[in-house]
Amino acid sequence: MKDGKFPGALRRKFLQDAAALGGVAAAAWLPSIALAQAPKVKVGLMLPYTGTFTQLGIAITNGFKLAIAENGGKIAGREIEYFTVDDESDPAKGADNANRLVNRDKVDVLVGTVHSGVQAGMVKIARESGVLHIIPNAGLDAATTALCAPNIFRTSFGNSQTSYPMGKVLADRGVKNVVTLTWKYAAGEESVGGFKAAFTKGGGKIVKELWLPFPNVEFQPLLTEIAALKPDAVYVFFAGGGAAKFLRDYQAAGLKGKIPLYGSGFLTDGILEATGDAAEGIETTLHYGDALDTPRNNAFRLNYVKAYKLQPDVYAVQGYDAGLLLIAGLNAVKGDVSKKKDIIAAMSKAQIDSPRGRWTMSSAHNPVQDMYLRKVAGKENKVTGVAIKQLDWPPADRCKMPPLS
Ligand code: PHB
C-alpha cells in the first residue's frame, strides 16, 4: 500500500464496512482486521496451584507471564490466551488433564509441570498428539532420555542433573558415609540416584537409603533413625512446603550442626522466608542462586519484584525461560504456529539469556548449564562456586530422538 492509500478493492471494502458500522472511525476498524488475521496464541498452563508445590506453580506462572510482559505482552505480534489447569501434583490425573488442554481447548503449546509423576502423563499426551510441549520444572529424567521427542523441551533440569554435582562435591571433600532421605517417587529416586552415582564414584558410601511417600511430612521417625546411624552427612531431596517443614524438623530434632545436611538446591529455594534460621549455612547444588550478582539476574529480580511484590526463585526463572524459549520459537516463524518444524528448529538452537546465566539446549532438549554450589546466608542462597560447568546430564546420548511425526 503506497502513500497510505488503500488499493481499489480493499478501499471499496473498507468504505462499505465503515458504512455498515454506522460511521465508526476507520481507526477503530483497522485493528479488527489485524485481530481477525492473527488469532491469539493458546498457551496451556498445567501446574500445581494446590498442595505442597503450590508456590512452585505460582512462581512458574509469574515467571512465564513476566517474559511475555517484557516482550510487549505479545509474541510475534500475537496476543496470548491462557488455559490454566491445577494439576494438584496428582499423577493419577496427569494424562487426563493434559489431554483436555490439548484435545478440548486445542492449545498451541502445553506448558507444565512441577511433579515428575504428573509429568509422565503429560509426556505421554505430548508424544501422542505432537503438541509443542515445554517443561518448566519436573526433572523426570526419561523426558529427555528414553521418552525424548522433537516437540518436547525442558527449561529446567533433569532430576539427576541437580544432585550429581552434590555427590561430586562431597566425594572431593573426602566425606565417607552418607544417609539419603527423600520422597519415594521418580524425582526422589532420580535425585538420590544422581547423588549416589557421583558420590560412590569418588569413593563415598551410602550407608542407608530412607524414604517416605509423597507428599508425607512425618519426618520424626526417620530423623530418629538418622540420629542413631550417625553418618558423616545426610543428603535429601525435598521441595516446596515439604522442604520448609523438613528443615525446621531437622533443627528441632537437634541434628542441625551435628550431622551436616546437604541437598539439591530445591531444599532451600523459595522457602527461606518460612524457615527462620533452620536453613542457615546449608549447602546445596543447583542451576540458579538468588544472590547471583549479574546484571541480567539483578534486572530480572527487580522486574519480578515490581510486578508481583514477591522475591523470585529458581521456579520463577524456569517459567521465565519457558517464556523466552517460546518467544524464540514463534519469532522464527513470525507467529505462525502451524510451522512446527521451523519452531522446533529455532527452539533447539536457542541460546537462552537467562537470569541463571546463558544456556543452550542439548540434542535431547534438556538445558546444558552451570551447576552452582550455594550456601544459605540470611534469606539468600549465596553462590560460592561452580560445582560443575556446563553439565549435560542425564547425558544427551541417552536420547534416541525419533523423527518429527
Ligand atoms: C519433580 O517432581 O520432578 C520435582 C518437584 C519439585 C522440585 C524439583 C523436582 O523442586
Side-chain angles (χ1 to χ4, degrees):
M1 188 191 323
K2 281 194 195 128
D3 310 314
K5 289 198 182 119
F6 293 105
L10 189 54
R11 180 179 163 79
R12 267 192 305 283
K13 165 123 180 62
F14 170 76
L15 292 174
Q16 279 161 11
D17 284 3
L21 286 170
V24 173
W29 179 80
L30 278 172
S32 71
I33 287 187
L35 279 183
Q37 285 170 345
K40 293 179 181 175
V41 179
K42 293 178 157 198
V43 175
L45 292 178
M46 180 169 150
L47 289 160
Y49 298 111
T50 50
T52 203
F53 290 158
T54 303
Q55 295 311 321
L56 288 59
I58 292 170
I60 289 168
T61 306
N62 289 346
F64 187 91
K65 291 186 174 175
L66 181 62
I68 306 300
E70 288 178 0
N71 198 49
K74 294 181 180 179
I75 306 182
R78 293 182 58 181
E79 290 182 2
I80 314 294
E81 182 173 11
Y82 290 102
F83 294 77
T84 304
V85 167
D86 174 10
D87 68 33
E88 304 166 52
S89 293
D90 183 352
K93 299 182 192 155
D96 281 352
N97 281 331
N99 192 39
R100 228 171 294 132
L101 284 168
V102 173
N103 290 314
R104 183 192 65 189
D105 301 328
K106 307 255 183 283
V107 296
D108 298 309
V109 55
L110 179 63
V111 179
T113 188
V114 167
H115 184 288
S116 277
V118 181
Q119 193 62 56
M122 293 187 85
V123 164
K124 176 175 180 290
I125 299 302
R127 286 172 62 94
E128 283 170 11
S129 65
V131 72
L132 195 59
H133 181 31
I134 303 178
I135 306 171
N137 184 72
L140 182 71
D141 281 349
T144 56
T145 58
L147 298 175
C148 68
N151 55 316
I152 300 178
F153 291 85
R154 182 148 56 193
T155 60
S156 49
F157 54 86
N159 283 320
S160 53
Q161 191 178 25
T162 60
S163 55
Y164 187 91
M166 197 73 250
K168 179 176 181 307
V169 167
L170 293 197
D172 288 351
R173 288 182 186 172
V175 175
K176 288 288 169 245
N177 298 313
V178 164
V179 169
T180 65
L181 168 60
T182 184
W183 284 311
K184 184 87 185 153
Y185 82 108
E189 287 164 5
E190 292 173 353
S191 179
V192 165
F195 174 83
K196 195 163 139 185
F199 185 58
T200 56
K201 189 168 144 203
K205 188 172 165 224
I206 305 292
V207 288
K208 185 133 195 192
E209 294 182 9
L210 299 172
W211 308 92
L212 74 169
F214 176 87
N216 193 320
V217 289
E218 296 307 313
F219 300 119
Q220 203 47 54
L222 299 158
L223 294 173
T224 305
E225 194 169 348
I226 289 171
L229 287 165
K230 295 192 179 57
D232 299 332
V234 175
Y235 171 85
V236 301
F237 164 80
F238 291 114
K245 165 112 176 15
F246 179 77
L247 289 169
R248 288 193 301 264
D249 287 6
Y250 198 81
Q251 185 180 45
L255 294 177
K256 185 166 177 347
K258 265 203 200 135
I259 305 178
L261 175 64
Y262 300 92
S264 56
F266 310 113
L267 180 63
T268 58
D269 231 80
I271 54 149
L272 294 178
E273 298 295 331
T275 51
D277 62 356
E280 188 66 22
I282 290 180
E283 287 183 287
T284 60
T285 48
L286 203 65
H287 47 289
Y288 181 64
D290 33 23
L292 257 184
D293 190 13
T294 60
R296 183 73 180 98
N297 188 41
N298 293 337
F300 163 75
R301 297 191 69 85
L302 198 67
N303 283 349
Y304 190 95
V305 170
K306 264 195 215 151
Y308 303 110
K309 313 279 176 279
L310 286 170
Q311 290 295 329
D313 53 22
V314 68
Y315 309 105
V317 171
Q318 293 165 174
Y320 183 77
D321 289 3
L324 296 185
L325 181 67
L326 185 62
I327 291 167
L330 295 192
N331 276 348
V333 295
K334 300 193 168 52
D336 182 349
V337 289
S338 70
K339 294 190 171 156
K340 199 177 285 172
K341 191 160 162 265
D342 297 331
I343 296 172
I344 288 174
M347 285 169 59
S348 304
K349 61 176 199 303
Q351 292 223 0
I352 301 297
D353 184 17
S354 168
R356 76 184 87 166
R358 205 170 264 278
W359 61 267
T360 53
M361 279 291 169
S362 75
S363 58
H365 297 176
N366 195 55
V368 178
Q369 54 192 337
D370 288 346
M371 301 304 299
Y372 302 107
L373 181 62
R374 309 123 39 97
K375 188 172 189 168
V376 176
K379 295 275 173 259
E380 282 186 325
N381 287 284
K382 295 262 186 242
V383 172
T384 55
V386 178
I388 303 183
K389 272 203 89 57
Q390 294 298 296
L391 182 61
D392 170 19
W393 197 271
D397 62 10
R398 291 191 197 161
C399 155
K400 303 281 167 263
M401 189 62 82
L404 181 62
S405 55

